[in-house]
Amino acid sequence: MRRISIFGATGSIGQSALDLIGRNRGAYQVVALTGGRNVAQLAKDARQFDAEIAVTAFDECLDDLQSALAGSGVRVAAGQAALLEAADIQADWILSAIVGAAGLAPGFRALRHGTTLALANKESLVAAGPILLSEAKRYGARILPVDSEHSAIFQALVGEDISTVERIIITASGGAFRDWPIDKLAGATLAQAQTHPNWDMGQRITIDSASMFNKALEVIETKEYFEISPDKIEVIIHPQSLVHAMVGFKDGGIMAHLGAADMRHAIGYALFWPDRGHIPVERLDFAKIVQLQFRAPDDQRWPALRLAREVIAAGGFNGAVFNAAKETALDGFIDGRIGFMDMAQIVEETLIQLSGDLPNNIVDSGLETVLEIDQMSRQRAAKIIGARQA
Ligand code: NDP
């Protein structure tokens, strides 16, 4: 039986993973489940899956979690240190599905034990890719991609030599505002931004899809994970979200990964890897697919894509600044302090202001340096937002 833990179990990815595990109960033993403020869900799942420990990231949620799990035999803990301790408990497979930079430290900790890390938390690769990969190498741990595009690329590369890859094409639905007139985007509301045409995801990643910050993170994630030159990475708008990514080889052939827009594809591939398991997603009926459309993205509508290329070119800790500034700008948009198109401007301004203050060598640095830069970037981005409001 494989021992598995889920960090961010109460979220969209975590719940989809538990759905798959629930259908294969005999194969898995659930070790740790972690969540944030959704204590009721965490307790329900910990009981249902007979977890060894349930951890909430927030100290103030401990009493509620304790009450909800009283008499269950499930151990209970709270806080950041408890999250790291949960990552220390022996497991064969850990899913990193906490949203944002908060997901970095538990994933890093799991790698130290040589645990296979199924990585949904793309922020880990964006903010600290070279360090994460070198830690995985050092401790003999494997990282499996869970983002749908990266799982698709990973699958297209099975048995291939990466040096024969000419291009990697990641698809983007275009999000909520794909067909809006550009001059209306500045007035887009939160309610409008948090609806996705195809995917059912958490609130933050749905808004990031509308702004294309999600795709910007994925371009950086692709470069880091597959260690491929950025000029080989392309983004294409594909409104149907059925082709998740394509890999083009030097002979001109292209391998495409298709499937329904359901994250259980990518989560299941990582869960069952190196085998393939049954995944209860909708099967595509090609006779009913009227069309697969593709079109080039437009930098004016989605400045985040241009910023991602600039961040890759600048290298080093710029990914950490980019991610932290993006998260802070997103908070600002969710709280109604800034408009939709202001997010990219805040991120760009933060990158410009901090570019001269960053250490040079990321590979020889540790996670602590990344987290310091993350904090510094959040403060700077918040200051820029504050100055705009004044
Ligand atoms: P959700 O917002 O749905 O869930 C986030 C999870 O993280 C919840 O369990 C939440 O707890 C927990 N959490 C929130 N804040 C903290 C914190 N400060 N410390 C510890 N835990 C915290 O996110 P998603 O499931 O949508 O996304 C998770 C990750 O997967 C992200 O990195 C995202 O980019 C990535 N991803 C998501 C996809 C999707 O389809 N949703 C697709 C590809 C990648 P609680 O809810 O209890 O407060």
Side-chain angles (χ1 to χ4, degrees):
M1 234 203 260
R2 279 169 86 194
R3 287 169 61 81
I4 65 180
S5 291
I6 301 184
F7 285 73
T10 51
S12 164
I13 292 287
Q15 290 292 296
S16 293
L18 285 172
D19 173 73
L20 292 175
I21 291 160
R23 295 165 192 268
N24 295 275
R25 278 302 285 274
Y28 302 102
Q29 182 182 343
V30 173
V31 180
L33 294 181
T34 87
R37 299 191 189 282
N38 192 349
V39 169
Q41 187 68 49
L42 181 59
K44 180 171 172 270
D45 293 333
R47 277 183 190 272
Q48 187 186 335
F49 288 90
D50 212 6
E52 290 176 18
I53 184 166
V55 183
T56 161
F58 304 109
D59 292 322
E60 61 276 20
C61 296
L62 180 61
D63 288 349
D64 287 346
L65 188 59
Q66 262 165 346
S67 313
L69 283 171
S72 66
V74 178
R75 275 191 293 139
V76 170
Q80 295 306 310
L83 278 182
L84 297 183
E85 280 161 24
D88 282 335
I89 304 175
Q90 192 273 322
D92 303 304
W93 188 93
I94 286 187
L95 175 60
S96 166
I98 290 175
V99 67
L104 264 66
F108 266 79
R109 185 64 84 97
L111 289 180
R112 282 195 198 173
H113 300 282
T115 312
T116 295
L117 186 68
L119 190 66
N121 179 270
K122 59 190 84 183
E123 297 87 347
S124 295
L125 278 166
V126 172
I131 313 178
L132 191 81
L133 296 183
S134 96
E135 287 281 285
K137 233 173 247 166
R138 182 168 162 201
Y139 294 105
R142 181 175 286 277
I143 300 176
L144 296 172
V146 170
D147 221 345
S148 61
E149 295 76 2
H150 304 79
S151 173
I153 299 164
F154 187 81
Q155 293 181 51
L157 285 172
V158 170
E160 303 289 354
D161 178 348
I162 189 86
S163 69
T164 65
V165 172
E166 202 171 61
R167 54 206 285 229
I168 288 181
I169 305 153
I170 54 179
T171 58
S173 70
F177 306 135
R178 181 180 62 217
D179 299 316
W180 274 38
I182 290 185
D183 58 359
K184 279 195 153 182
L185 290 178
T189 66
L190 176 60
Q192 289 164 332
Q194 64 188 16
T195 55
H196 196 283
N198 306 332
W199 294 91
D200 179 14
M201 307 186 286
Q203 182 202 39
R204 298 181 74 85
I205 188 171
T206 302
I207 302 168
D208 283 349
S209 294
S211 63
M212 210 60 98
F213 266 110
N214 181 47
K215 209 51 55 182
L217 296 178
E218 288 175 8
V219 169
I220 303 173
E221 190 185 0
T222 304
K223 185 252 164 198
E224 296 296 351
Y225 185 83
F226 297 101
E227 297 180 278
I228 190 152
S229 164
D231 59 6
K232 292 183 173 178
I233 305 171
E234 301 169 28
V235 174
I236 193 91
I237 303 297
H238 168 45
Q240 290 79 20
S241 296
L242 297 178
V243 179
H244 301 140
M246 295 177 268
V247 177
F249 296 91
K250 69 179 184 187
D251 59 4
I254 294 178
M255 299 291 286
H257 180 281
L258 284 83
D262 187 327
M263 279 308 294
R264 290 178 302 174
H265 267 301
I267 299 167
Y269 186 79
L271 179 67
F272 298 123
W273 187 90
D275 301 322
R276 280 194 185 264
H278 177 80
I279 302 179
V281 293
E282 185 194 331
R283 270 42 181 171
L284 297 186
D285 179 347
F286 283 90
K288 289 195 180 138
I289 297 172
V290 180
Q291 53 184 348
L292 294 176
Q293 297 164 303
F294 300 95
R295 65 176 193 244
D298 155 4
D299 273 2
Q300 206 193 335
R301 179 183 298 275
W302 294 298
L305 290 177
R306 169 182 56 82
L307 292 176
R309 305 246 175 230
E310 290 172 9
V311 163
I312 290 176
F317 288 97
N318 283 278
V321 177
F322 181 69
N323 183 59
K326 189 280 292 177
E327 288 190 20
T328 309
L330 178 58
D331 289 338
F333 175 66
I334 291 172
D335 297 347
R337 284 176 290 133
I338 57 171
F340 183 74
M341 292 305 275
D342 295 335
M343 288 192 284
Q345 291 172 17
I346 305 289
V347 173
E348 183 160 21
E349 188 58 37
T350 310
L351 283 162
I352 292 169
Q353 288 193 16
L354 291 182
S355 61
D357 299 343
L358 302 175
N360 288 328
N361 192 342
I362 186 164
V363 182
D364 295 335
S365 305
L367 178 62
E368 307 69 41
T369 313
V370 176
L371 296 177
E372 275 166 27
I373 288 169
D374 176 273
Q375 281 310 313
M376 177 174 84
S377 310
R378 282 169 201 271
Q379 284 161 10
R380 187 61 64 98
K383 203 168 158 193
I384 296 169
I385 293 174
R388 283 179 164 232
Q389 287 180 295

